[in-house]
Amino acid sequence: MVSPLPPARNGIADYAAALLTGLATHYDCAAACEDWLAEAPPGIPVVDPALAHRLPGEGRRLLYQLGNNPGHGGVLWALRDRPGVTVLHDPGLLHLYESTGEDRASILAGMRHAVPGLAATYARHLREDGVSTRANHLLFDLAGEVLARSRAVILHSRFALNRLRLAHGAAATAHAAVIPHLLPPGRPPDRAAARARLGIAPGTFLVVTAGFASQAKRLDWVLAALEGLPALRWIHAGGVPPALARRIGARATITGHLAEAEFDAHIAAADALVNLRFPSAGESSGSVARGLRAGVCCLVSATGAFTELPREAVIHLPLAGGAGALAEALAGLAAAPERAAAIGAAGRRHAEAEMALPAIAARYREVIEAAWAVPPPAPRPPPLLRVAADRALIAAALAGRSGPCRLRLDGPDPGWLAECSLAPGGLAEALLPPGAALRAARLEGTDLLLDLVLPA
Amino acid sequence: MSAAPLLAALLGRALPGLAARDLGLPLGALLPWLPGCRAGLAEAEALPPEERALLAGLRQSGQPLLGLDPAADAAADPAWDGAAERLAWSPLPDAVPGATITLVAGGMGEAALPEGLGRILLVAGREDAPERHDLLVPEPRLSALFERLCQAAAALAGPGWRQGGRALSPRQASLLLLAPPPGHVPDLLLAAAALPHDLPGPGGAEGLPLGGVRQMRLLLGALPALRWRLRLGFAGAEPGAAALFLDGLRHPVRLGSGGLVASIEPVPGRALVLGLAWREGAPPGLRLVTLEARP
């Protein structure tokens, strides 16, 4: 498995560690992680990704855990080198591409590929001014490359699958499967013990929000909902950006990032776990999975993957008037705690039936083995490198590469370009290292795009 | 390649002023045994992409490994260009351009001897596991070089060794040098900065600067398949809570006097990659100076 692992402050790292425990009953697992000192479950070695190919054993299966943040750049690069089964935790991926220095031309091409009609208008800011708007992250996904490079793709919800299918078509997503989020191994902490440990009085109604407080988790709505409910205690179990912390800090206790055991204790202690989402990109929530496992009443937005949770297992809140609906629901639960307990119990039954680790791991095995029963995808397109029009910089950029390659030269001076083109050896001799063959050249805006074949 | 230490000792003794290039990666058999040896690949395109990517991420004295970057390969290399003798180790059955002597690993097989070259057939190593290699030399120098090799072999041979040689023709000679088990496996002492690694700077006589580094890789080369006591010598600071990795997997290590000590058993047939990692980064001022390996 190629993935971030704890102690990375990343829900996918926790997910990967939990899944490894389940997969270890089916496979001789190893975890390739950029952090060589990361923590895998006992008995599962962590290996430097650059040396994972040296692990003993033939025919190793490859499973990539891919999220939409820079912590997954190495996972994307590994997938490019060796196709495998990819778990797409967030089908967006635009933030991943932007934050790991992918070439803008590749990003624009991916946006055009995903939603051609929208790209003409909404990618204009990026194309012309280099500005990426927040809307881009909702309108576009950059999953095309991952879909093409993967032997199979696993998503956690039908919503995420349908979104990808709409953007990329049925053929490109024919190898995608839905496997629900999982319940982490082990038993959740005892509720009474967790409350005692956190100093929560028996009569206190505790509202917990959890995980890193991205804007889409709408803690601003939670704050608005709880302003009229001063008797309810609110703990945010996770990190909060400074600007938001200043807003909610007077009302909520903010723990900052918690180790797994502490995180679980906060969820187990809760009377209500609130996990809102707007806008949703189709992501699933590990916090909700933990809440369901602990039998805590979960309140979620009626959007995206959350709509696939059974009506009786959680409380779905409308997006319109979300704060008001949340306030009303919390007030009702505080007034009738037995209702919260009943919903929590239904949630736990659902989770144990659908999200138990052994069943999820068996489902993974099915998808992985089916994916390895067919030939791997075709080789990836040649890499696109961006560099200034300078012979030494070009030589450095091409160092160690061979075969087809594309080079984008940043706005060379037209006069200089004309001079190079007219020189005896032409552009190739003026710009390229010895042995590099120039197959095509064209101008894109002020940039010069070269198709090359590099010597072995 | 249990014969590599013996071959290195033989060639080093016979050819004073030798500069060496080991183009046999991912094996790297000669790399640890000839001081100053530059590492590279004779057939980069034949490597699996993952191995190639690994090696492409390493630099030796600030330069890419040979065979991966045509521009860097073509650059002047004073240590090589000005050497009295230039030896290249290659798995391909042909003379390496620029080398005065090519050691063809595994021998040339049925390949014809190139025009103008002579060959010294070497049978060397451990007497219960002899290895066959070919030394391609300029034909006019064959006789003199053969004589020097024979003298070096005689000087190296100890009690119980088998040694011999004969001139077969003006273009061919053969030399046999076999040591009783466990073979000729001397202690190894290497300057860390001379080895390929993935740190941003090349390092120098004072070692590889590690202050603040969280993870680094270093290509040691191939060691004969024995159990070795490996000692990493540091200076500038205590290494602290360093973790050692062998071919990407964590390996037990203990803090010894001035260094880290581990018992290792390298996988035969490929160059060993050492890794070092610190959770919070290496202590300020820490330098990796030497690597010692004792069988």
Side-chain angles (χ1 to χ4, degrees):
Chain A
M1 179 187 292
V2 184
S3 176
L5 287 171
R9 296 180 172 187
N10 180 325
I12 296 171
D14 294 336
Y15 176 93
L19 181 61
L20 277 168
T21 305
L23 290 176
T25 61
H26 300 280
Y27 297 104
D28 171 21
C29 292
C33 184
E34 293 289 317
D35 175 5
W36 308 346
L37 297 173
E39 297 153 10
I44 296 176
V46 176
V47 62
D48 171 2
L51 286 151
H53 62 282
R54 289 191 172 190
L55 286 171
E58 294 294 314
R60 278 196 177 266
R61 297 345 189 193
L62 292 164
L63 182 64
Y64 299 98
Q65 304 286 342
L66 196 57
N68 191 14
N69 61 61
H72 295 84
V75 181
L76 178 62
W77 300 327
L79 169 67
R80 285 173 174 163
D81 282 339
R82 294 183 78 186
V85 174
T86 305
V87 186
L88 258 181
H89 290 268
D90 177 340
L93 298 190
L94 179 54
H95 180 52
L96 169 67
Y97 276 71
E98 287 181 341
S99 57
T100 50
E102 292 292 325
D103 182 81
R104 191 191 298 166
S106 300
I107 292 174
L108 282 166
M111 292 163 81
R112 273 196 298 271
H113 173 74
V115 201
L118 284 178
T121 302
Y122 290 95
R124 183 170 53 84
H125 293 108
L126 179 60
R127 192 174 57 244
E128 295 178 3
D129 305 318
V131 175
S132 181
T133 66
R134 194 172 292 163
N136 285 354
H137 293 260
L138 284 173
L139 295 171
F140 302 102
D141 74 60
L142 252 69
E145 182 189 11
V146 171
L147 288 169
R149 287 300 296 153
S150 300
R151 285 173 175 263
V153 170
I154 291 171
L155 302 139
H156 293 319
S157 70
R158 293 190 301 279
F159 176 90
L161 173 59
N162 288 336
R163 188 187 146 134
L164 277 185
R165 196 162 278 164
L166 277 171
H168 298 274
T173 52
H175 61 343
V178 174
I179 298 181
H181 211 290
L182 56 74
L183 298 186
R187 295 180 60 79
D190 174 73
R191 171 178 158 79
R195 287 176 75 92
R197 187 163 138 202
L198 298 178
I200 309 297
T204 299
F205 190 90
L206 176 62
V207 177
V208 168
T209 48
F212 181 76
S214 65
Q215 195 162 27
K217 289 185 180 170
R218 308 310 326 200
L219 292 200
D220 51 340
W221 294 2
V222 181
L223 178 64
L226 288 173
E227 271 175 352
L229 300 168
L232 275 55
R233 179 152 179 210
W234 176 16
I235 297 179
H236 179 73
V240 177
L244 183 58
R246 281 193 291 276
R247 283 184 65 195
I248 70 168
R251 179 64 180 86
T253 302
I254 301 171
T255 65
H257 178 80
L258 294 173
E260 187 179 12
E262 276 298 295
F263 188 68
D264 281 345
H266 280 77
I267 288 176
D271 293 288
L273 176 70
V274 178
N275 200 307
L276 306 183
R277 204 59 56 103
F278 179 77
S280 168
E283 64 274 32
S284 295
S285 167
S287 304
V288 169
R290 288 170 190 270
L292 294 171
R293 179 185 68 158
V296 175
C297 177
C298 297
L299 296 94
V300 299
S301 299
T303 185
F306 289 151
T307 59
E308 292 163 33
L309 292 167
R311 291 279 168 200
E312 68 280 8
V314 296
I315 293 177
H316 286 103
L317 298 167
L319 291 178
L326 175 60
E328 193 178 324
L330 288 174
L333 293 173
E338 69 281 2
R339 183 166 171 257
I343 293 170
R348 179 187 278 164
R349 283 195 297 276
H350 163 74
E352 286 174 350
E354 302 293 330
M355 300 162 69
L357 182 55
I360 295 293
R363 187 77 186 94
Y364 262 91
R365 183 188 168 89
E366 284 174 23
V367 173
I368 291 168
E369 293 311 306
W372 251 264
V374 296
R380 64 180 162 138
L384 176 64
L385 308 174
R386 180 164 209 151
V387 67
D390 176 277
R391 189 183 163 87
L393 294 175
I394 292 169
L398 299 179
R401 293 179 179 274
S402 65
C405 182
R406 291 173 298 154
L407 203 58
R408 175 182 286 272
L409 304 182
D410 285 333
D413 173 63
W416 176 81
L417 197 58
E419 203 174 297
C420 289
S421 303
L422 295 172
L427 270 180
E429 198 169 298
L431 293 174
L432 303 177
L438 181 61
R439 296 286 183 239
R442 67 181 183 280
L443 280 168
E444 268 194 15
T446 58
D447 293 348
L448 179 63
L449 212 65
L450 305 177
D451 283 339
L452 314 174
V453 178
L454 302 171
Chain B
M1 286 302 303
S2 62
L6 178 58
L7 287 170
L10 177 71
L11 294 164
R13 187 179 286 260
L15 306 169
L18 176 75
R21 292 182 166 186
D22 180 344
L23 303 179
L25 286 175
L27 177 59
L30 272 193
L31 173 63
W33 300 104
L34 280 174
C37 181
R38 272 191 76 183
L41 301 91
E43 281 189 297
E45 70 280 8
L47 273 188
E50 304 90 343
E51 190 71 20
R52 185 188 157 101
L54 167 72
L55 297 175
L58 304 176
R59 296 284 183 276
Q60 188 176 21
S61 303
Q63 295 296 314
L65 302 189
L66 295 162
L68 287 169
D69 180 344
D73 290 354
D77 178 353
W80 173 259
D81 299 333
E85 205 73 78
R86 298 186 294 277
L87 169 81
W89 161 283
S90 170
L92 301 181
D94 206 351
V96 171
T100 54
I101 299 175
T102 300
L103 183 57
V104 178
M108 295 189 53
E110 300 298 316
L113 193 56
E115 193 65 31
L117 293 180
R119 165 166 59 179
I120 300 172
L121 290 72
L122 296 173
V123 177
R126 223 172 58 200
E127 68 179 9
D128 58 345
E131 293 173 19
R132 160 75 200 283
H133 307 283
D134 283 345
L135 208 53
L136 299 182
V137 303
E139 188 180 339
R141 298 184 59 203
L142 183 129
S143 175
L145 287 170
F146 178 59
E147 184 61 31
R148 279 154 65 179
L149 285 167
C150 288
Q151 289 169 4
L156 265 176
W161 288 44
R162 295 173 62 194
Q163 177 207 342
R166 58 186 294 207
L168 303 169
S169 73
R171 293 187 72 194
Q172 301 213 54
S174 69
L175 180 75
L176 177 139
L177 184 63
L178 297 172
H184 179 71
V185 191
D187 294 351
L188 191 58
L189 176 61
L190 295 165
L195 293 170
H197 59 80
D198 66 354
L199 291 169
E206 295 193 331
L208 295 172
L210 296 176
V213 167
R214 294 175 67 96
Q215 299 179 164
M216 65 90 71
R217 304 181 186 96
L218 183 132
L219 188 74
L220 177 58
L223 299 181
L226 300 169
R227 179 164 289 278
W228 295 78
R229 180 179 180 274
L230 178 70
R231 182 179 172 282
L232 283 71
F234 294 91
E238 287 296 316
L244 175 69
F245 291 78
L246 299 183
D247 280 343
L249 290 170
R250 191 161 181 175
H251 192 81
V253 67
R254 65 181 172 79
L255 199 56
S257 57
L260 294 173
V261 179
S263 175
I264 66 171
E265 208 162 354
V267 174
R270 69 182 182 214
L272 179 66
V273 178
L274 296 183
L276 287 171
W278 290 261
R279 168 57 63 207
E280 305 299 336
L286 183 69
R287 288 175 277 117
L288 176 59
V289 183
T290 56
L291 291 93
E292 292 175 58
R294 294 180 180 199

